Amino acid sequence: MGVVDRTRDLELEDVALWDVGKKFGFYGAIAAMVAVSMFPVFWILLSSLKPPSELFVFPQEYLPYTVSFEGGISVEQQFPLTLENYRTALGQRPVGTYLLNSFIVASSTAIIDVVLGAMAGYAVSRLRFKYKLHVLLVILFAALLPFISRLIPLYRLAINLQGTPAGAVFGLNQYLGLILPYAAFQMPFAVWIFQAYFKELPDSLEEAGLMDGLSRVGVLFRIILPVSMPAMATAAIIVFIYAWNEFLFALTFMTQDSKRTITVGIALFGGQFNSPWGTITAAVFMSLIPLLLFMFVFQKKIVEGMTAGVGKA
Amino acid sequence: MADGRTEAGEVTRLGEEGLRGRLKRYREVRLTEEELAVALLTPVMLFLLAVSFYPIVDTVWASLHTGYVIDLPGKTTAFVGVENYLKLFSSESFWNALGVSLFYTFVSVPIELVFGLGLALLLQKEFKGKYFAQAAILFPWALPTVINAKIWAWMLNPEFGVISDILVKVGLLSQPFPFLSKPDIALYSMTAITIWKTTSFVALILLAGLSSIPDHLYESARMDGASRWRRFRDITLPLLKPTILVALIFRTLPAFQAFGLPFGLTGGGPGEATTTLVLYTQQVAYNNPGPTGGGFALGSAAATVITLLALVIALIYVGTLYEPEVR
């Protein structure tokens, strides 16, 4: 073998090794990211299934069962798994009510934002009218305003409306007391998601409708809305997650335990040092179930919603 | 499409159409382009006016008045000018909270941006199991902040925390460490937790920006012999600028308004070491001195300061990073 051939061999081998190394490095990095991201969820689930005697120990056990190879393979139980914490959370604590409240608030918010967001999104993306830029700027500006500056006035409003007929609609411990603020806060994002989606539709859609003798309203209802289901799903999921997660307003507006949402319910479970961590972790895990479902089933929609319009400018 | 005529060719100006003609058209729900736009936008604008803009103005109003700003018999509201602001600016707690928020925001956001960019470059590739990997990596973003705070409060528990456990197992610690009981470490921990939670969000925004950079730019740069680093510096970064702006605004404003994380993790403690501006404002308004002690007025002043700072931050970003479309 000549010198040249030998070096070439060496190089090829190096390249192959380098590729394998790169591949290992790549998958290793991905695996590490997945582990780092999901470990807390795993830990909460594990903690929620532990009996109290296993929860408050150090060092902690990581697996309920381990496999031992001494004298043949045998599975050893490290600690018994129990649903006791879930029973306590749902039976002795109103975690079920919290979850239901959150569900009512989050889905109503999503419905309002989908309807109003689709309307406004259609107008700003596909209709020509005066002051369009101003309207867009007003909507985007609303997204920049801090939540805390809207909290005290709306709270005062709720207090002032108490006892009046309007108090039955908007007020403390009313679902609408949360739904309306949430819907307003997420409105700019809903409008944004819809306008980004509508912008991509071909102009010929409306033209064809108008040619066929439909009115503009008819075009909107018969042609545009039916094809905008994907954007509706995206907006609904993003708004739902936001409303499910919100804490500041939920804490302030819901003073009765029976009206609290899950975030407030969990946050007020106990102090830092003597908290019922078994029950808390069970409640936390239950609060994460819809979010886990969303993320693993509708990931595409979520990503679309988060990045609507980004990079297209 | 719209040239001042409806689809049927009717002229829309009132003078030519006539009032009767217009009413007939409305009865048949046939609107011009502009009329439809107004009809579609009015509910949204009214809604935003009532629930987003009016409260901001009302907060400014309340911040300029005395004490108890809810009308109650025996309690009157009077204009006091900037008194509440003077009281706010002379409060040590306010400056502490401002410092905490600025540290938390401007340490976490740049780190998220760097990590996020790395993660975006990693996720740019197609690979087996990408869907699940991406869902798992993105999941922390979807966690409710206050519940995330509880999760970490448990994992950083001073006696039984799993983070201590892991650090003991790898030999970095010899016994459980009370991460949340030492002022500095508590703030660092809180900052680290938010980096953990939102880096994937930044990555996703940047990924969307990356995918919009045309491939042929990289191709021709490679033909010209540009190194990997050169291609990154001279193509990726400049073209990613608008997306970086979006990511910065989307991350900075929420970070600056952090509330659930300190509330659930430390309650703002130890002392006031992790009391952010919004947590401080909420406490002033509702706990101490509370609404009856003029908490709403002082809280409104603090909220107004937060609004102004948020707008200033947004303006600075747009001013330094926004460039009119070059492509």
Side-chain angles (χ1 to χ4, degrees):
Chain A
M1 213 192 276
V3 179
V4 176
D5 285 345
R6 230 182 302 158
T7 38
R8 185 179 296 154
D9 257 18
L10 206 69
E11 263 173 18
L12 280 179
E13 205 175 301
D14 274 1
V15 168
L17 263 180
W18 172 242
D19 273 356
V20 171
K22 237 168 60 176
K23 212 163 195 183
F24 260 105
F26 177 75
Y27 278 103
I30 295 283
M33 286 304 301
V34 169
V36 167
S37 302
M38 290 308 278
F39 179 77
V41 177
F42 160 76
W43 192 250
I44 288 301
L45 177 61
L46 188 72
S47 299
S48 71
L49 295 172
K50 280 181 176 177
S53 59
E54 281 296 323
L55 207 51
F56 302 108
V57 292
F58 195 91
Q60 293 262 318
E61 283 296 338
Y62 286 74
L63 293 170
Y65 298 95
T66 51
V67 181
S68 153
F69 294 100
E70 280 169 44
I73 297 173
S74 61
V75 175
E76 255 176 63
Q77 192 186 46
Q78 298 295 315
F79 59 86
L81 293 173
T82 167
L83 287 175
E84 195 50 41
N85 292 321
Y86 289 85
R87 242 168 266 143
T88 314
L90 292 171
Q92 293 170 26
R93 299 283 204 142
V95 171
T97 312
Y98 298 154
L99 288 167
L100 183 68
N101 290 337
S102 277
F103 185 79
I104 293 171
V105 168
S107 33
S108 313
T109 307
I111 291 170
I112 293 181
D113 273 356
V114 164
V115 173
L116 292 182
M119 286 165 57
Y122 178 73
V124 296
S125 63
R126 301 194 64 95
L127 297 177
R128 276 181 292 178
F129 57 92
K130 262 187 256 170
Y131 308 118
K132 183 191 272 192
L133 187 66
H134 299 89
V135 168
L136 262 177
L137 284 177
V138 165
I139 293 175
L140 286 184
F141 186 68
L144 295 178
L145 299 173
F147 299 145
I148 184 81
S149 336
R150 305 179 234 185
L151 176 72
I152 297 172
L154 291 175
Y155 182 81
R156 284 175 52 209
L157 187 67
I159 298 266
N160 288 336
L161 288 181
Q162 258 175 359
T164 68
V169 180
F170 182 85
L172 302 188
N173 299 310
Q174 303 281 352
Y175 290 131
L176 278 172
L178 292 185
I179 293 168
L180 293 179
Y182 291 176
F185 301 164
Q186 288 307 97
M187 187 67 71
F189 295 100
V191 174
W192 192 253
I193 288 168
F194 277 106
Q195 72 87 26
Y197 179 82
F198 286 140
K199 241 173 141 169
E200 303 288 305
L201 296 179
D203 280 345
S204 52
L205 272 182
E206 273 123 340
E207 280 158 19
L210 293 177
M211 297 278 263
D212 287 350
L214 283 176
S215 69
R216 286 219 162 260
V217 180
V219 168
L220 175 58
F221 279 92
R222 302 260 186 89
I223 299 180
I224 301 293
L225 286 187
V227 298
S228 58
M229 287 308 282
M232 288 187 181
T234 303
I237 290 171
I238 294 274
V239 172
F240 185 98
I241 293 179
Y242 162 81
W244 183 270
N245 292 1
E246 207 282 340
F247 177 58
L248 178 59
F249 272 70
L251 175 70
T252 313
F253 272 70
M254 297 310 201
T255 51
Q256 280 170 15
D257 201 34
S258 64
K259 290 288 182 171
R260 286 196 173 123
T261 60
I262 187 68
T263 49
V264 181
I266 287 173
L268 298 182
F269 245 124
Q272 191 198 336
F273 294 105
N274 50 0
S275 302
W277 282 111
T279 323
I280 294 178
T281 50
V284 165
F285 189 75
M286 284 189 277
S287 79
L288 300 186
I289 291 172
L291 301 172
L292 283 166
L293 272 178
F294 274 149
M295 193 50 88
F296 281 89
V297 180
F298 301 117
Q299 185 203 144
K300 273 212 176 97
K301 298 259 155 251
I302 294 175
V303 172
E304 263 169 32
M306 285 162 65
T307 59
V310 173
K312 284 175 189 152
Chain B
M1 257 182 282
D3 44 8
R5 286 159 180 277
T6 62
E7 43 284 7
E10 295 160 74
V11 180
T12 58
R13 268 174 301 141
L14 191 57
E16 295 168 52
E17 186 186 15
L19 188 60
R20 193 175 287 179
R22 178 174 286 199
L23 284 176
K24 178 169 177 286
R25 204 156 52 71
Y26 285 172
R27 261 201 309 278
E28 291 167 7
V29 207
R30 285 187 295 126
L31 305 179
T32 63
E33 199 165 343
E34 191 148 313
E35 284 165 351
L36 180 58
V38 171
L40 291 176
L41 282 167
T42 305
V44 176
M45 297 309 262
L46 285 179
F47 195 43
L48 286 181
L49 190 70
V51 193
S52 281
F53 291 110
Y54 147 74
I56 301 286
V57 177
D58 195 57
T59 301
V60 177
W61 180 87
S63 73
L64 299 173
H65 286 75
T66 42
Y68 202 80
V69 281
I70 291 172
D71 307 322
L72 268 196
K75 294 271 189 179
T76 47
T77 310
F79 181 77
V80 293
V82 293
E83 199 180 278
N84 291 314
Y85 290 92
L86 293 179
K87 212 196 261 173
L88 187 70
F89 294 146
S90 66
S91 144
E92 240 171 74
S93 298
F94 167 76
W95 293 107
N96 169 70
L98 180 63
V100 168
S101 274
L102 288 176
F103 176 90
Y104 172 81
T105 306
F106 291 103
V107 169
S108 67
V109 174
I111 297 179
E112 283 166 20
L113 207 60
V114 172
F115 286 3
L117 188 57
L119 186 56
L121 294 170
L122 207 62
L123 288 175
Q124 214 182 358
K125 295 199 179 96
E126 288 303 321
F127 57 90
K128 244 187 221 164
K130 182 175 178 179
Y131 185 89
F132 281 95
Q134 198 166 287
I137 292 172
L138 197 52
F139 185 69
W141 164 80
L143 284 170
T145 45
V146 73
I147 288 177
N148 182 44
K150 282 288 166 194
I151 293 174
W152 283 92
W154 170 232
M155 298 211 309
L156 294 172
N157 186 286
E159 292 163 87
F160 318 111
V162 66
I163 300 295
S164 285
D165 190 87
I166 291 171
L167 293 176
V168 167
K169 284 204 166 80
V170 298
L172 286 172
L173 285 178
S174 56
Q175 61 188 45
F177 185 81
F179 290 94
L180 303 176
S181 315
K182 316 215 166 188
D184 287 354
I185 310 279
L187 181 56
Y188 302 155
S189 305
M190 189 169 91
T191 310
I193 289 169
T194 210
I195 294 169
W196 169 81
K197 186 178 190 300
T198 41
T199 292
S200 59
F201 168 79
V202 175
L204 218 70
I205 299 280
L206 296 179
L207 195 59
L210 283 177
S211 63
S212 73
I213 299 175
D215 284 337
H216 67 83
L217 288 179
Y218 291 107
E219 303 269 312
S220 46
R222 204 171 327 170
M223 300 254 226
D224 293 346
S227 68
R228 197 174 263 258
W229 165 245
R230 278 292 304 270
R231 275 178 272 152
F232 177 75
R233 199 192 63 188
D234 293 340
I235 300 176
T236 311
L237 274 187
L239 289 182
L240 211 53
K241 236 176 160 187
T243 313
I244 291 177
L245 172 65
V246 173
L248 272 176
I249 290 187
F250 274 11
R251 271 313 306 150
T252 306
L253 293 183
F256 196 65
Q257 298 176 49
F259 173 71
L261 184 55
F263 187 101
L265 189 69
T266 56
E272 295 178 351
T274 54
T275 304
T276 57
L277 265 184
V278 173
L279 182 58
Y280 165 78
T281 307
Q282 189 263 356
Q283 284 173 350
V284 163
Y286 291 93
N287 300 347
N288 179 38
T292 41
F296 278 173
L298 197 57
S300 297
T304 306
V305 171
I306 293 173
T307 306
L308 289 176
L309 287 173
L311 293 179
V312 166
I313 291 173
L315 255 160
I316 292 176
Y317 278 162
V318 174
T320 48
L321 283 164
Y322 180 76
E323 312 172 326
E325 206 56 34
V326 262
R327 269 172 283 165

